[in-house]
Amino acid sequence: MTPADGSRGGVPTLEITGAVKRYANGHLAVKGVDLHADEGEFVVFVGPSGCGKSTLLRMIAGLESVTEGEVRLKGRVVNDVEPADRDIAMVFQNYALYPHMSVYDNLAYGLRNRKIPKPEIDRRVREAAEMLQIGEYLARKPGALSGGQRQRVAMGRCIVRDPAIFLFDEPLSNLDAKLRTQMRLEIRRLQRRLGVAAVYVTHDQVEAMTLADRIVVLNGGRVEQIGAPVEVYNAPASTFVASFIGAPAMNLFPAEAEGGAIRVDGGSAPAPARARGAVTAGLRPEKARLVPAGGGLPFTVETVEELGATRLVHGHVGAASFVVSLEAGVSPPGETCAVTADPADVHLFDRGSGARL
Amino acid sequence: MKKVQFSGIAPPLLLIAPQMAIVVIFFLWPAAEAVRTSFFIQDPFFGRAVFVGFDNYVNAVTRSDYLRSAAFTGVFVTAICAISLGFGLLFAVCADEVLRGEGPYKTLLMWVYAIAPPVAGLIGVMLFDQHIGPLVDFFAFFGWELQTGVDYWDTAFAMTVVAAWKQIPYNFIFFLSGLQGIPRSLREAAAIDCRSPARRFWTVVFPLLAPTSFFLLVINITYAFFETFGVIDVMLKGEPGNNPVSLVYKVYLDGFRGQDLGGSSAQSVILMVGVMLLTVVQFRFIERRVHYA
Ligand SMILES: Nc1ncnc2c1ncn2[C@@H]1O[C@H](COP(=O)(O)OP(=O)(O)O)[C@@H](O)[C@H]1O
Ligand SMILES: [Mg+2]
């Protein structure tokens, strides 16, 4: 592994090379993926629904076979190893707690099957329960718990196993917004504290940004970009990543690049000098500035959304719809005005392939 | 469930009236009649009835043929439940492996339920037929001259197998739909937690099937007691002779063949009380261990 892709050296906890998944019905869900997770690293797979995130995660868990390529855990190829023997633990979207067992038994079940001595099981279960503040529910059945409590039990089931890696498949998507934020922080805190590597699947880019040491953006079974959250945010590798990461989404619009500026509808704005000719330009709503007409790309205000802390000004640049985020209390300089930005904030993409220029 | 509020008591009463009428005419009234008759000796030719108190009951439970029939019924019911539930579950587990998520097959398998029980019963009887039954030839090959309807044990064996065989498709369908109702992620969680598939089955899948199993156990016991009448009748071809008969069949034999209405009524009342007790026991002790998820 080269330092360029963020590796810290040593044997990575997880290493996937050339992974392909073709389902029995012929559907190609994963089309050649290479990635790795280092010791203690939190890796998030993010992408739209159906892009193959869960499939990839389940290949790591051993719940789906690997059609081609290799999955290694701590250097060992595990393609043909049973899930129970892979030294992994997984939190499912619906938690998948055993409804007929008490919380205690849910946590202890995997350990008992591993013939771990009873006092050791008891110690681990109580320690995990304390860490997750579910000690008082140990005798209850999962049916008598709230969504957040079940979520904790599911986490507890992973923690007691002390695995090489945690796998999460959209674990927060069944919780309400407030609980989701809280549990997100808690997952991060726990993972840091335990120092166990994690792979986390989500379609929510906010979750991805806040949790990840490294984000893997997937699209149609392929990796679009791998990088730290700020890297992915600041230098999206493609128009797909640019529009997927960040909210409100980056504005993308066709423009003429002429070395140091972009031009739309007779107006122009400063831009990096990297490209010439027809490009797709990108500008984040919070990085765009509204100036009086003539000072940039022509922009007509259509609606203003008041969000309290910010205001979203909707309009068009050329034929593309465009959003500018203004601080509270700031008004656009007029009904017709112009958009401009620091050249460093303007992203340029190939018009055809969408790749970053 | 959607709740509807009726104004007044008349409409709901009217709605349950047909059901209540059926219960009263076909169940409560005959039951009451049986209880009444069981205290009399009926003279079949002159219609006179003599009150004899509990004589019919004492008579029934002390006669050796009744006790013999009761013992047979116990073994018969237990064997039918064990065989039909066991095989139903086994087949359902096999089918479930193949079926996970495959829609069309599932619909096809439902046909088993639609056509199988009556047809299976007929086929079962044919398999044991003295003249054309392949099973008779099969056992003859191993030196067992199966004499259904003549030899006590051979008849008992054939009856049990056919009656159980008839019930397997029914159990199969319920077990299968129970298995399919277990979320995939739960089995996957178990696969991560436990290496042995057999252990996973007994510790996770089977307990989750408990509501289905309990329901089927009740249904199968009821079936084995009462609905096996037809199978027994076909097997005996109206010649009970020295052959085993279940308690329900004996009620029929003594009442309609032996013209002993009082004794037969007493037997049926004993059966009725027995079934009630069984039901209470089932719900009190078994259901407590069943987890309705
Ligand atoms: N068992 C399966 N058989 C066939 N296709 C599947 C199966 N599971 C998932 N797929 C398909 O594979 C693609 C990726 O699925 P998945 O990994 O679940 O996506 P994600 O988790 O990113 O939403 C989807 O198009 C889905 O329809
Ligand atoms: Mg998914």
Side-chain angles (χ1 to χ4, degrees), chain A residues 53-54 93 169-170 201:
Chain A
K53 310 180 289 290
S54 297
Q93 182 167 358
D169 193 351
E170 312 226 9
V201 162

Side-chain angles (χ1 to χ4, degrees), chain A residues 23 25 27 29 48-55:
Chain A
Y23 277 111
N25 65 1
H27 182 78
S49 178
C51 70
K53 310 180 289 290
S54 297
T55 303

Side-chain angles (χ1 to χ4, degrees), chain A residues 58 85 98 109 113 161, chain B residues 186 188 192-193 195 199 203:
Chain A
R58 295 162 55 78
D85 296 331
Y98 309 118
Y109 179 66
N113 292 328
R161 296 193 38 186
Chain B
L186 213 56
E188 292 175 344
I192 292 173
D193 270 344
R195 178 180 305 129
R199 197 175 150 74
T203 51

Side-chain angles (χ1 to χ4, degrees), chain A residues 54-69:
Chain A
S54 297
T55 303
L56 197 52
L57 190 78
R58 295 162 55 78
M59 287 161 79
I60 301 170
L63 301 172
E64 298 289 354
S65 62
V66 179
T67 312
E68 272 175 45

Side-chain angles (χ1 to χ4, degrees), chain A residues 218-230:
Chain A
L218 290 169
N219 182 24
R222 276 184 228 283
V223 173
E224 286 273 338
Q225 186 170 10
I226 299 182
V230 276

